[in-house]
Amino acid sequence: MKKNKIHIILIVVLTIIIGNPIEMIAYSFAVGIETDKNNINAGDTLTLKLNVNVNDVGEEGINVIEAMLEYDEKVFDKIAEEDIENLNNWSINFNSNENEGKCKLLGYVLSEGINENQEICKIKLKSKSNIDISKTTIKLTGITTSNEETLITGEDKSLIVNIGTNEGANKQKKYNWTVLVLIISFIALISIIFIIKRRVGGKHES
């Protein structure tokens, strides 16, 4: 008898759910990360560009994002305030003191919700002069936003940067120095020969 009552209750609940389906909204949101250089030499500076892609975030739009920028501090200098350039009225606050190689970004725009894709900032990363690895990965993780009603998460993003050692530039410098030494040596040799000839010629005249 008790089991029959439970079955009846379940049937009633299912009937209500089927008759009044719950609207499930799947929002779509992403923050893209691009770089002006995928190949750098030690000492070079590259620029990251962050942009929001609001495929479907509701009618309200968004006006805030949060993310963690991860990079290797053995490769790049620590990010400073002057390394961040705000775009399209976005303001990007950051905190790089949490962990080594991690910079928490909090961006907001003082306007109605954004419903269109747009660039939000540029970030400069200066590579160190002495680097002993050939590539490094820059990541954007923990990406979230809100449309005033729902917390929306985006997929983590990453990009790989290849690192050179400036061997070509060093070889060119060595070549230039070699050519310069040869020219100086040649001029010195001509001068010595000229002096010897003058001395020999002077002895014959006397």
Side-chain angles (χ1 to χ4, degrees):
M1 186 70 179
K2 191 173 183 180
K3 289 184 178 179
N4 291 336
K5 287 184 178 180
I6 294 174
H7 289 159
I8 293 172
I9 292 172
L10 288 174
I11 292 171
V12 172
V13 171
L14 288 173
T15 303
I16 294 172
I17 292 175
I18 293 172
N20 300 277
I22 298 172
E23 184 180 3
M24 299 297 292
I25 302 175
Y27 293 112
S28 179
F29 160 78
V31 176
I33 179 172
E34 303 173 359
T35 177
D36 62 337
K37 298 175 184 176
N38 289 108
N39 300 281
I40 63 171
N41 289 318
D44 286 352
T45 298
L46 64 81
T47 300
L48 301 177
K49 186 186 296 182
L50 273 59
N51 55 77
V52 292
N53 190 328
V54 286
N55 296 324
D56 181 11
V57 292
E59 295 181 358
E60 299 85 359
I62 64 168
N63 54 16
V64 63
I65 66 164
E66 183 176 340
M68 183 73 76
L69 180 65
E70 301 181 21
Y71 60 97
D72 190 346
E73 283 196 5
K74 294 179 181 177
V75 176
F76 299 105
D77 293 339
K78 185 182 282 292
I79 294 175
E81 184 176 356
E82 58 268 20
D83 296 323
I84 300 178
E85 177 186 352
N86 297 319
L87 300 174
N88 293 315
N89 297 319
W90 281 84
S91 296
I92 307 297
N93 295 325
F94 77 100
N95 182 357
S96 60
N97 298 322
E98 292 191 358
N99 294 293
E100 184 175 315
K102 291 187 177 182
C103 178
K104 189 170 185 178
L105 304 174
L106 178 61
Y108 62 91
V109 58
L110 297 176
S111 65
E112 296 182 357
I114 301 299
N115 265 308
E116 60 182 15
N117 301 340
Q118 58 182 222
E119 299 173 354
I120 61 174
C121 73
K122 293 179 180 180
I123 302 175
K124 290 183 178 180
L125 285 175
K126 176 73 165 59
S127 64
K128 298 182 182 296
S129 57
N130 296 316
I131 305 173
D132 57 1
I133 58 175
S134 60
K135 64 176 59 177
T136 186
T137 302
I138 301 171
K139 299 179 182 180
L140 201 63
T141 63
I143 302 169
T144 59
T145 187
S146 172
N147 61 2
E148 297 183 0
E149 293 182 355
T150 306
L151 182 67
I152 308 170
T153 60
E155 293 184 358
D156 294 350
K157 302 290 183 178
S158 65
L159 57 85
I160 296 176
V161 178
N162 299 308
I163 304 168
T165 58
N166 277 328
E167 288 184 4
N170 292 333
K171 287 181 180 178
Q172 184 64 39
K173 288 180 181 179
K174 289 181 180 178
Y175 173 79
N176 292 340
W177 274 107
T178 302
V179 171
L180 181 60
V181 169
L182 288 174
I183 293 174
I184 294 174
S185 299
F186 179 75
I187 294 173
L189 179 62
I190 295 298
S191 299
I192 291 172
I193 293 173
F194 179 75
I195 293 172
I196 291 174
K197 282 185 176 181
R198 285 193 62 184
R199 290 184 177 178
V200 172
K203 288 181 180 180
H204 286 309
E205 289 179 2
S206 59

